[in-house]
Structure formats: C-alpha cells, structure tokens
Coordinates of all heavy atoms in Angstrom, one line a residue:
M441 N 93.2 111.5 84.6 CA 93.1 110.0 84.5 C 91.7 109.6 84.9 O 91.1 110.1 85.9 CB 94.2 109.3 85.4 CG 95.6 109.6 85.0 SD 96.0 108.9 83.4 CE 96.7 107.4 83.9
A442 N 91.2 108.5 84.3 CA 90.0 107.9 84.7 C 90.1 106.4 84.9 O 91.0 105.8 84.3 CB 88.9 108.3 83.7
T443 N 89.2 105.8 85.6 CA 89.2 104.4 85.8 C 88.2 103.8 84.8 O 87.0 104.1 84.9 CB 88.9 104.1 87.2 OG1 89.8 104.7 88.1 CG2 89.0 102.5 87.4
Y444 N 88.7 102.8 84.0 CA 87.8 102.1 83.0 C 87.8 100.7 83.4 O 88.9 100.1 83.9 CB 88.3 102.3 81.7 CG 88.3 103.7 81.2 CD1 89.4 104.5 81.2 CD2 87.1 104.2 80.7 CE1 89.3 105.8 80.8 CE2 87.0 105.5 80.3 CZ 88.1 106.3 80.3 OH 88.1 107.6 79.9
E445 N 86.7 100.0 83.3 CA 86.6 98.6 83.7 C 86.4 97.7 82.5 O 85.7 98.0 81.6 CB 85.3 98.6 84.6 CG 85.2 97.2 85.3 CD 84.1 97.2 86.3 OE1 83.5 98.3 86.6 OE2 83.8 96.1 86.9
Y446 N 87.1 96.6 82.6 CA 87.1 95.7 81.5 C 86.7 94.3 82.1 O 87.0 94.0 83.3 CB 88.5 95.6 80.8 CG 88.8 96.8 80.0 CD1 89.3 97.9 80.5 CD2 88.3 96.9 78.6 CE1 89.5 99.1 79.8 CE2 88.6 98.0 77.9 CZ 89.2 99.1 78.4 OH 89.4 100.3 77.7
R447 N 86.2 93.4 81.2 CA 85.9 92.1 81.7 C 86.6 91.0 80.8 O 86.2 91.0 79.6 CB 84.4 91.9 81.7 CG 84.0 90.5 82.2 CD 82.5 90.5 82.4 NE 82.0 89.1 82.6 CZ 81.8 88.2 81.7 NH1 81.9 88.5 80.5 NH2 81.4 87.0 82.1
C448 N 87.4 90.3 81.5 CA 88.0 89.1 80.7 C 87.1 87.9 80.9 O 86.5 87.7 81.9 CB 89.3 88.8 81.3 SG 90.2 87.3 80.6
A449 N 86.9 87.2 79.7 CA 86.0 86.0 79.8 C 86.5 85.0 80.8 O 85.7 84.2 81.4 CB 85.8 85.4 78.4
D450 N 87.9 84.9 81.0 CA 88.4 83.8 81.8 C 88.7 84.3 83.2 O 88.5 83.7 84.2 CB 89.7 83.3 81.2 CG 89.4 82.6 79.9 OD1 88.3 82.0 79.7 OD2 90.3 82.6 79.0
C451 N 89.3 85.5 83.3 CA 89.8 86.0 84.6 C 88.8 87.0 85.3 O 89.0 87.2 86.5 CB 91.0 86.8 84.4 SG 92.3 85.8 83.4
G452 N 87.8 87.5 84.7 CA 86.9 88.4 85.4 C 87.1 89.9 85.0 O 87.8 90.2 84.1
R453 N 86.6 90.7 86.0 CA 86.8 92.1 85.8 C 88.1 92.7 86.3 O 88.6 92.1 87.3 CB 85.6 92.8 86.5 CG 84.3 92.5 85.9 CD 83.1 93.2 86.7 NE 81.8 92.9 86.1 CZ 81.0 93.8 85.7 NH1 81.2 95.1 85.8 NH2 79.9 93.4 85.1
F454 N 88.6 93.7 85.6 CA 89.7 94.4 86.1 C 89.6 95.9 85.7 O 88.8 96.1 84.7 CB 91.0 93.8 85.6 CG 91.1 93.7 84.1 CD1 91.9 94.8 83.4 CD2 90.6 92.8 83.3 CE1 91.9 94.8 82.0 CE2 90.7 92.8 81.9 CZ 91.4 93.8 81.3
E455 N 90.4 96.7 86.3 CA 90.3 98.2 86.0 C 91.6 98.6 85.4 O 92.7 98.1 85.7 CB 90.1 98.9 87.3 CG 88.7 98.7 88.0 CD 88.5 99.4 89.3 OE1 89.5 99.9 89.8 OE2 87.3 99.5 89.6
V456 N 91.5 99.6 84.6 CA 92.6 100.2 83.9 C 92.5 101.7 84.1 O 91.4 102.3 83.9 CB 92.6 99.8 82.4 CG1 93.8 100.6 81.7 CG2 92.8 98.4 82.3
H457 N 93.6 102.5 84.4 CA 93.6 103.9 84.6 C 94.2 104.5 83.2 O 95.4 104.2 82.9 CB 94.4 104.3 85.8 CG 93.8 103.7 87.0 ND1 92.8 104.3 87.6 CD2 94.3 102.6 87.7 CE1 92.5 103.6 88.8 NE2 93.4 102.5 88.8
L458 N 93.4 105.3 82.6 CA 93.8 105.9 81.3 C 93.3 107.3 81.3 O 92.4 107.7 82.0 CB 93.1 105.1 80.2 CG 93.6 103.7 80.0 CD1 92.6 103.0 79.0 CD2 95.0 103.6 79.5
P459 N 93.9 108.2 80.5 CA 93.4 109.5 80.3 C 92.0 109.4 79.8 O 91.5 108.6 79.1 CB 94.3 110.2 79.3 CG 95.5 109.3 79.3 CD 95.1 107.9 79.6
I460 N 91.2 110.5 80.2 CA 89.7 110.5 79.8 C 89.6 110.5 78.3 O 90.2 111.3 77.7 CB 89.0 111.7 80.5 CG1 89.1 111.6 82.1 CG2 87.7 112.0 80.0 CD1 88.6 112.8 82.8
G461 N 88.7 109.7 77.9 CA 88.3 109.7 76.4 C 89.3 108.8 75.6 O 89.1 108.7 74.4
S462 N 90.3 108.2 76.3 CA 91.2 107.3 75.5 C 91.0 105.8 75.7 O 91.9 105.1 75.3 CB 92.6 107.8 75.8 OG 92.9 107.4 77.2
A463 N 90.0 105.4 76.3 CA 89.8 104.0 76.6 C 89.3 103.2 75.3 O 88.3 103.6 74.7 CB 88.7 103.8 77.7
P464 N 90.1 102.3 74.9 CA 89.6 101.4 73.8 C 88.5 100.5 74.2 O 88.4 100.2 75.4 CB 90.9 100.7 73.4 CG 91.7 100.5 74.7 CD 91.4 101.8 75.4
T465 N 87.8 100.0 73.2 CA 86.7 99.1 73.6 C 87.2 97.7 73.9 O 86.5 96.9 74.6 CB 85.7 98.9 72.4 OG1 86.5 98.5 71.3 CG2 85.0 100.3 72.1
V466 N 88.5 97.4 73.5 CA 89.1 96.1 73.9 C 90.4 96.4 74.5 O 91.2 97.3 73.9 CB 89.2 95.2 72.6 CG1 89.9 93.9 73.0 CG2 87.8 94.9 72.1
C467 N 90.8 95.7 75.6 CA 92.1 95.9 76.2 C 92.6 94.5 76.5 O 91.8 93.6 76.8 CB 91.8 96.7 77.5 SG 93.4 97.1 78.3
D468 N 93.9 94.4 76.6 CA 94.5 93.1 77.0 C 94.4 92.9 78.5 O 94.6 93.8 79.3 CB 96.0 93.1 76.6 CG 96.2 93.0 75.2 OD1 95.3 92.7 74.4 OD2 97.3 93.3 74.6
C469 N 94.0 91.7 78.8 CA 93.9 91.2 80.3 C 95.3 91.2 80.8 O 96.2 90.7 80.2 CB 93.2 89.8 80.3 SG 93.1 89.2 81.9
P470 N 95.5 91.8 82.0 CA 96.8 91.8 82.7 C 97.3 90.4 83.1 O 98.4 90.2 83.3 CB 96.6 92.7 83.9 CG 95.2 92.7 84.2 CD 94.5 92.5 82.9
E471 N 96.4 89.5 83.2 CA 96.8 88.1 83.6 C 97.0 87.2 82.5 O 98.0 86.6 82.4 CB 95.7 87.6 84.6 CG 95.6 88.3 85.9 CD 94.6 87.8 86.8 OE1 94.4 86.6 86.8 OE2 94.0 88.5 87.7
C472 N 96.0 87.0 81.6 CA 96.1 86.0 80.5 C 96.5 86.7 79.2 O 96.8 86.0 78.2 CB 94.9 85.1 80.4 SG 93.5 86.1 79.8
H473 N 96.6 88.0 79.2 CA 96.9 88.8 77.9 C 95.9 88.5 76.8 O 96.4 88.8 75.6 CB 98.3 88.6 77.6 CG 99.3 88.8 78.7 ND1 99.5 90.1 79.0 CD2 100.0 88.0 79.6 CE1 100.4 90.1 80.1 NE2 100.7 88.9 80.4
R474 N 94.7 88.1 77.0 CA 93.7 88.0 76.0 C 92.9 89.2 75.9 O 93.0 90.0 76.9 CB 92.8 86.8 76.2 CG 93.4 85.4 76.2 CD 92.5 84.3 76.3 NE 93.1 83.1 76.4 CZ 92.5 81.9 76.8 NH1 91.2 82.0 77.1 NH2 93.2 80.8 76.9
A475 N 92.2 89.3 74.9 CA 91.3 90.6 74.7 C 90.2 90.6 75.6 O 89.5 89.6 75.8 CB 90.9 90.6 73.3
A476 N 90.0 91.7 76.3 CA 88.9 91.9 77.3 C 88.1 93.0 76.9 O 88.6 94.1 76.4 CB 89.5 92.0 78.7
R477 N 86.7 92.8 76.9 CA 85.8 93.9 76.5 C 85.5 95.0 77.6 O 85.5 94.6 78.8 CB 84.5 93.3 76.0 CG 84.7 92.6 74.7 CD 83.3 92.2 74.1 NE 82.5 93.4 73.8 CZ 82.7 94.1 72.7 NH1 83.6 93.8 71.7 NH2 82.0 95.2 72.5
R478 N 85.4 96.1 77.2 CA 85.1 97.2 78.2 C 83.6 97.0 78.7 O 82.7 96.8 77.9 CB 85.2 98.5 77.6 CG 85.0 99.7 78.5 CD 85.3 101.0 77.8 NE 84.9 102.1 78.7 CZ 84.8 103.3 78.2 NH1 85.0 103.7 77.0 NH2 84.4 104.3 79.1
V479 N 83.5 97.2 80.0 CA 82.1 97.2 80.6 C 81.8 98.5 81.2 O 82.8 99.2 81.7 CB 81.9 96.0 81.5 CG1 82.0 94.7 80.9 CG2 83.0 96.1 82.7
F480 N 80.6 98.9 81.3 CA 80.2 100.2 81.9 C 79.5 99.9 83.3 O 78.6 99.0 83.3 CB 79.3 100.9 81.0 CG 79.9 101.3 79.7 CD1 79.9 100.6 78.6 CD2 80.6 102.6 79.7 CE1 80.5 101.0 77.5 CE2 81.2 103.0 78.5 CZ 81.2 102.1 77.5
S481 N 79.9 100.6 84.2 CA 79.3 100.4 85.6 C 79.2 101.8 86.2 O 79.7 102.8 85.8 CB 80.3 99.5 86.5 OG 81.5 100.2 86.6
S482 N 78.5 101.8 87.3 CA 78.2 103.0 88.0 C 79.6 103.5 88.7 O 80.3 102.7 89.2 CB 77.1 102.9 89.1 OG 77.6 101.9 90.1
P483 N 79.8 104.8 88.7 CA 81.1 105.3 89.1 C 81.1 105.5 90.8 O 81.1 106.6 91.2 CB 81.3 106.6 88.4 CG 79.9 107.1 88.1 CD 79.1 105.8 88.0
H484 N 81.2 104.5 91.4 CA 81.2 104.5 92.9 C 80.2 105.4 93.6 O 80.5 106.2 94.6 CB 82.6 104.9 93.4 CG 83.7 104.0 92.9 ND1 83.8 102.7 93.3 CD2 84.6 104.1 91.8 CE1 84.8 102.1 92.7 NE2 85.3 102.9 91.8
L485 N 79.1 105.6 92.9 CA 78.0 106.5 93.6 C 77.1 105.6 94.6 O 76.4 106.2 95.4 CB 77.1 107.0 92.5 CG 77.8 107.9 91.5 CD1 76.8 108.4 90.4 CD2 78.3 109.2 92.2
T486 N 77.3 104.4 94.6 CA 76.5 103.6 95.5 C 77.1 103.4 96.8 O 76.5 102.7 97.7 CB 76.2 102.2 94.9 OG1 77.4 101.6 94.6 CG2 75.4 102.4 93.6
R487 N 78.3 103.9 97.0 CA 79.0 103.6 98.3 C 78.3 104.6 99.4 O 78.2 105.8 99.3 CB 80.4 104.0 98.2 CG 81.1 103.7 99.4 CD 82.6 104.0 99.2 NE 83.3 103.6 100.4 CZ 84.4 102.8 100.5 NH1 84.9 102.4 99.3 NH2 85.0 102.5 101.6
V488 N 77.8 103.9 100.4 CA 77.2 104.6 101.5 C 78.0 104.5 102.8 O 78.4 103.4 103.1 CB 75.7 103.9 101.8 CG1 75.0 104.6 102.9 CG2 74.9 104.0 100.6
P489 N 78.2 105.6 103.4 CA 79.0 105.6 104.7 C 78.3 104.6 105.7 O 77.1 104.4 105.8 CB 78.9 107.0 105.2 CG 78.5 107.9 104.1 CD 77.7 106.9 103.2
P490 N 79.2 103.9 106.5 CA 78.6 102.8 107.3 C 77.6 103.3 108.4 O 76.6 102.7 108.7 CB 79.8 102.3 108.0 CG 81.0 102.7 107.2 CD 80.6 103.9 106.5
T491 N 77.8 104.6 108.9 CA 76.9 105.1 109.9 C 75.5 105.3 109.3 O 74.5 105.1 109.9 CB 77.5 106.3 110.5 OG1 77.8 107.2 109.5 CG2 78.6 106.0 111.4
L492 N 75.5 105.9 108.0 CA 74.3 106.2 107.3 C 73.6 104.9 107.0 O 72.4 104.7 107.1 CB 74.5 106.9 106.1 CG 73.3 107.3 105.2 CD1 72.2 108.0 106.0 CD2 73.7 108.0 104.0
S493 N 74.4 103.8 106.6 CA 73.8 102.6 106.2 C 73.1 101.9 107.5 O 72.1 101.4 107.4 CB 74.9 101.7 105.7 OG 74.4 100.3 105.5
A494 N 73.8 102.0 108.7 CA 73.3 101.5 109.9 C 71.9 102.2 110.3 O 71.0 101.6 110.7 CB 74.3 101.5 111.0
A495 N 72.0 103.5 110.1 CA 70.8 104.4 110.5 C 69.6 104.0 109.6 O 68.5 103.9 110.0 CB 71.1 105.8 110.4
L496 N 70.0 103.8 108.2 CA 68.8 103.4 107.3 C 68.3 102.1 107.7 O 67.1 101.8 107.5 CB 69.4 103.6 105.9 CG 69.7 104.9 105.4 CD1 70.3 104.9 104.0 CD2 68.4 105.8 105.4
S497 N 69.1 101.2 108.1 CA 68.7 99.8 108.4 C 67.8 99.9 109.7 O 66.8 99.1 109.6 CB 70.0 99.0 108.6 OG 69.6 97.6 109.0
R498 N 68.2 100.7 110.7 CA 67.4 100.7 111.9 C 66.0 101.4 111.6 O 65.0 100.9 112.1 CB 68.1 101.6 112.9 CG 69.2 100.8 113.6 CD 69.6 101.6 114.9 NE 69.9 102.9 114.7 CZ 71.1 103.4 114.4 NH1 72.1 102.6 114.2 NH2 71.3 104.6 114.1
E499 N 66.1 102.4 110.7 CA 64.8 103.0 110.3 C 63.9 102.1 109.6 O 62.7 102.0 109.9 CB 65.1 104.2 109.5 CG 63.8 104.9 109.0 CD 64.0 105.8 107.9 OE1 65.1 105.8 107.2 OE2 63.2 106.7 107.6
E500 N 64.5 101.2 108.7 CA 63.6 100.3 107.9 C 63.1 99.2 108.9 O 61.9 98.8 108.8 CB 64.6 99.7 106.9 CG 63.7 98.8 105.9 CD 64.6 98.3 104.8 OE1 65.4 99.1 104.3 OE2 64.5 97.1 104.4
Q501 N 63.9 98.7 109.9 CA 63.5 97.7 110.8 C 62.4 98.2 111.7 O 61.4 97.5 112.1 CB 64.6 97.2 111.6 CG 64.2 96.0 112.5 CD 65.5 95.5 113.3 OE1 66.6 96.0 113.1 NE2 65.2 94.5 114.1
S502 N 62.5 99.5 112.1 CA 61.5 100.1 113.0 C 60.1 100.2 112.3 O 59.2 100.4 113.0 CB 62.0 101.3 113.5 OG 62.0 102.4 112.6
Q503 N 60.1 100.2 111.1 CA 58.8 100.3 110.4 C 58.0 99.1 110.6 O 56.8 99.1 110.7 CB 59.0 100.7 108.9 CG 59.6 102.0 108.6 CD 59.9 102.1 107.1 OE1 59.8 101.2 106.3 NE2 60.3 103.3 106.8
E504 N 58.7 97.9 110.5 CA 58.0 96.7 110.6 C 57.9 96.1 112.0 O 56.8 95.5 112.4 CB 58.6 95.7 109.6 CG 58.6 96.0 108.2 CD 57.3 96.1 107.6 OE1 56.5 95.2 108.0 OE2 57.0 97.0 106.7
A505 N 59.0 96.2 112.7 CA 59.0 95.7 114.0 C 59.7 96.7 115.0 O 60.9 96.5 115.3 CB 59.8 94.3 114.0
P506 N 59.0 97.6 115.4 CA 59.7 98.7 116.3 C 60.0 98.0 117.7 O 59.4 97.1 118.2 CB 58.6 99.7 116.5 CG 57.3 99.1 116.2 CD 57.6 98.0 115.2
E507 N 61.1 98.5 118.2 CA 61.5 98.1 119.6 C 60.5 98.5 120.6 O 60.1 99.6 120.6 CB 62.9 98.5 119.9 CG 64.0 98.0 119.0 CD 65.3 98.5 119.5 OE1 65.4 99.0 120.7 OE2 66.2 98.4 118.7
V508 N 60.0 97.6 121.5 CA 59.0 97.9 122.5 C 59.8 98.1 123.8 O 60.5 97.2 124.2 CB 58.0 96.8 122.6 CG1 57.0 97.1 123.7 CG2 57.2 96.7 121.3
V509 N 59.6 99.2 124.5 CA 60.2 99.5 125.7 C 59.3 99.2 126.8 O 58.1 99.7 126.8 CB 60.6 100.9 125.8 CG1 61.2 101.3 127.2 CG2 61.6 101.2 124.7
T510 N 59.6 98.4 127.8 CA 58.8 98.0 128.9 C 59.2 98.7 130.2 O 58.5 98.6 131.2 CB 58.8 96.4 129.2 OG1 60.2 96.1 129.4 CG2 58.2 95.8 127.9
S511 N 60.3 99.3 130.3 CA 60.7 100.1 131.5 C 61.5 101.2 131.1 O 61.9 101.4 129.9 CB 61.6 99.2 132.4 OG 62.8 98.8 131.7
L512 N 61.7 102.1 132.0 CA 62.6 103.3 131.7 C 64.0 102.9 131.6 O 64.4 102.1 132.2 CB 62.3 104.4 132.9 CG 61.0 104.9 133.1 CD1 60.9 105.7 134.4 CD2 60.6 105.7 131.9
P513 N 64.6 103.7 130.8 CA 66.1 103.4 130.6 C 66.7 103.8 131.9 O 66.3 104.6 132.7 CB 66.5 104.3 129.4 CG 65.5 105.4 129.4 CD 64.2 104.8 129.9
P514 N 68.0 103.2 132.2 CA 68.6 103.6 133.4 C 69.1 105.0 133.4 O 69.4 105.5 132.4 CB 69.9 102.6 133.4 CG 70.0 102.2 132.0 CD 68.6 102.2 131.4
R515 N 69.1 105.6 134.6 CA 69.5 107.0 134.7 C 71.0 107.2 134.4 O 71.8 106.4 135.0 CB 69.1 107.5 136.1 CG 69.3 109.0 136.3 CD 68.8 109.4 137.6 NE 68.9 110.9 137.7 CZ 68.3 111.6 138.5 NH1 67.5 111.0 139.4 NH2 68.5 112.9 138.5
Q516 N 71.3 108.1 133.6 CA 72.7 108.4 133.3 C 73.2 109.5 134.2 O 72.5 110.4 134.5 CB 72.8 108.8 131.8 CG 72.3 107.7 130.9 CD 72.6 108.2 129.4 OE1 72.8 109.4 129.2 NE2 72.4 107.3 128.5
R517 N 74.4 109.2 134.6 CA 75.1 110.2 135.5 C 75.4 111.4 134.7 O 76.0 111.3 133.5 CB 76.4 109.6 136.0 CG 76.1 108.4 137.0 CD 77.3 108.0 137.7 NE 77.3 108.9 138.8 CZ 78.3 108.9 139.7 NH1 79.3 108.1 139.5 NH2 78.3 109.8 140.7
R518 N 75.2 112.5 135.2 CA 75.5 113.8 134.5 C 77.0 114.1 134.7 O 77.5 113.9 135.7 CB 74.6 114.9 135.0 CG 73.2 114.7 134.7 CD 72.4 115.8 135.1 NE 72.7 117.0 134.1 CZ 72.1 118.2 134.4 NH1 71.3 118.4 135.4 NH2 72.4 119.2 133.6
R519 N 77.6 114.5 133.6 CA 79.0 114.9 133.7 C 79.0 116.2 134.5 O 78.2 117.1 134.3 CB 79.6 115.2 132.3 CG 79.8 113.8 131.7 CD 80.5 114.0 130.3 NE 81.3 115.1 130.2 CZ 81.7 115.7 129.0 NH1 81.3 115.2 128.0 NH2 82.5 116.8 129.1
P520 N 80.0 116.3 135.4 CA 80.1 117.6 136.1 C 80.5 118.7 135.1 O 81.2 118.6 134.2 CB 81.2 117.4 137.1 CG 82.0 116.2 136.5 CD 81.1 115.4 135.8
A521 N 79.8 119.9 135.4 CA 80.0 121.0 134.4 C 81.4 121.5 134.6 O 82.0 121.4 135.7 CB 78.9 122.1 134.7
H522 N 81.8 122.2 133.6 CA 83.2 122.8 133.7 C 83.1 123.9 134.8 O 82.1 124.6 135.0 CB 83.4 123.5 132.4 CG 84.8 123.9 132.3 ND1 85.2 125.2 132.7 CD2 86.0 123.4 131.9 CE1 86.6 125.3 132.5 NE2 87.0 124.2 132.0
P523 N 84.2 124.1 135.6 CA 84.2 125.0 136.7 C 83.8 126.4 136.3 O 83.2 127.2 137.1 CB 85.6 124.9 137.3 CG 86.2 123.6 136.8 CD 85.4 123.3 135.6
A524 N 84.2 126.8 135.1 CA 83.9 128.2 134.7 C 82.4 128.3 134.5 O 81.9 129.5 134.6 CB 84.6 128.4 133.3
V525 N 81.6 127.3 134.3 CA 80.2 127.4 134.1 C 79.6 128.0 135.4 O 78.6 128.7 135.3 CB 79.6 126.1 133.7 CG1 78.0 126.1 133.7 CG2 80.1 125.7 132.4
S526 N 80.0 127.6 136.6 CA 79.4 128.0 137.8 C 79.6 129.5 138.0 O 78.9 130.1 138.8 CB 79.9 127.2 139.0 OG 81.3 127.4 139.1
R527 N 80.6 130.0 137.4 CA 80.9 131.5 137.7 C 80.0 132.4 136.6 O 80.1 133.6 136.7 CB 82.4 131.7 137.5 CG 83.2 131.1 138.6 CD 84.6 131.6 138.6 NE 85.4 131.4 137.4 CZ 86.1 130.3 137.1 NH1 86.3 129.4 138.1 NH2 86.7 130.1 136.0
L528 N 79.4 131.8 135.7 CA 78.5 132.6 134.8 C 77.4 133.2 135.4 O 76.9 132.7 136.4 CB 78.1 131.7 133.6 CG 79.2 131.1 132.7 CD1 78.6 130.2 131.6 CD2 79.9 132.3 131.9
P529 N 77.0 134.4 135.0 CA 75.8 135.1 135.7 C 74.6 134.2 135.4 O 74.4 133.6 134.3 CB 75.8 136.4 135.0 CG 76.6 136.3 133.7 CD 77.6 135.2 133.9
R530 N 73.7 134.2 136.3 CA 72.5 133.5 136.2 C 71.3 134.5 136.0 O 71.4 135.6 136.4 CB 72.1 132.8 137.6 CG 73.1 131.8 138.0 CD 73.0 130.5 137.2 NE 74.1 129.6 137.5 CZ 74.5 128.7 136.8 NH1 74.0 128.5 135.6 NH2 75.6 127.8 137.2
P531 N 70.4 134.0 135.2 CA 69.3 134.9 134.9 C 68.4 135.2 136.1 O 68.3 134.5 137.1 CB 68.5 134.2 133.8 CG 68.8 132.8 134.0 CD 70.2 132.8 134.5
Ligands
ZN1902 ZN1 92.3 87.1 81.4

C-alpha cells in the first residue's frame, strides 16, 4: 500500500491509501464527493527530528550572534563513583 495525495478544489488536500501503481489521476473527495486531482509531493523526507532541528538552529544562530561568556560556568558536583571503581587496580 502507498499513500497518494489528492487535492479537492473546495475541501483541500486529502490522502488515499492504495496499492502501488493503482492510483487514478482523479479520485472522489471523501467530503463533498466531487472529483479531486492527484498531486505529487515529497514523501515525508523533510521531517527532521526535533533534537537535530534544535541543534541546527543553534549552529545557525551562533554563526551570526555567538553567545558571549563573561564568567566561568558554575562548578558542577561530580557524581560519586560506583563503589566497585575504587577497588579497581591503579596504574
Ligand atoms: Zn471536496
């Protein structure tokens, strides 16, 4: 099955799931039942994960207006090591 996209002049775009290669050029609109023409669009290749999108946005912003640091960041508390780590041989 493949997803095909159609555009109704009155209701807008809608998707139809049909076997590959069987999509007609005109399909009935599910709302107004008028003929809707098939449209071609990119197959969900433009979806970017939110974390990657945020990283790309920060990178782009840092090119023009990098964040300026005026002081050292606060010291972070180190997590205590696992008790088994202290028993490991030291070099
Ligand atoms: Zn319609």
Side-chain angles (χ1 to χ4, degrees):
M441 296 295 269
T443 302
Y444 296 97
E445 191 171 351
Y446 291 87
R447 184 175 170 273
C448 174
D450 297 330
C451 307
R453 294 177 180 237
F454 62 93
E455 295 179 344
V456 176
H457 301 280
L458 296 169
I460 293 176
S462 66
T465 56
V466 177
C467 182
D468 288 342
C469 174
E471 294 183 28
C472 67
H473 302 288
R474 292 186 188 164
R477 293 193 56 85
R478 184 177 171 195
V479 294
F480 294 90
S481 60
S482 61
H484 300 290
L485 296 177
T486 58
R487 187 178 182 126
V488 178
T491 52
L492 177 59
S493 176
L496 292 173
S497 176
R498 282 195 308 271
E499 179 194 20
E500 187 174 321
Q501 184 179 359
S502 70
Q503 292 174 354
E504 298 295 327
E507 292 182 20
V508 178
V509 177
T510 57
S511 63
L512 294 174
R515 185 174 184 159
Q516 294 182 350
R517 300 190 77 184
R518 297 183 68 184
R519 285 181 33 197
H522 190 272
V525 173
S526 61
R527 293 192 299 267
L528 291 174
R530 300 285 174 201

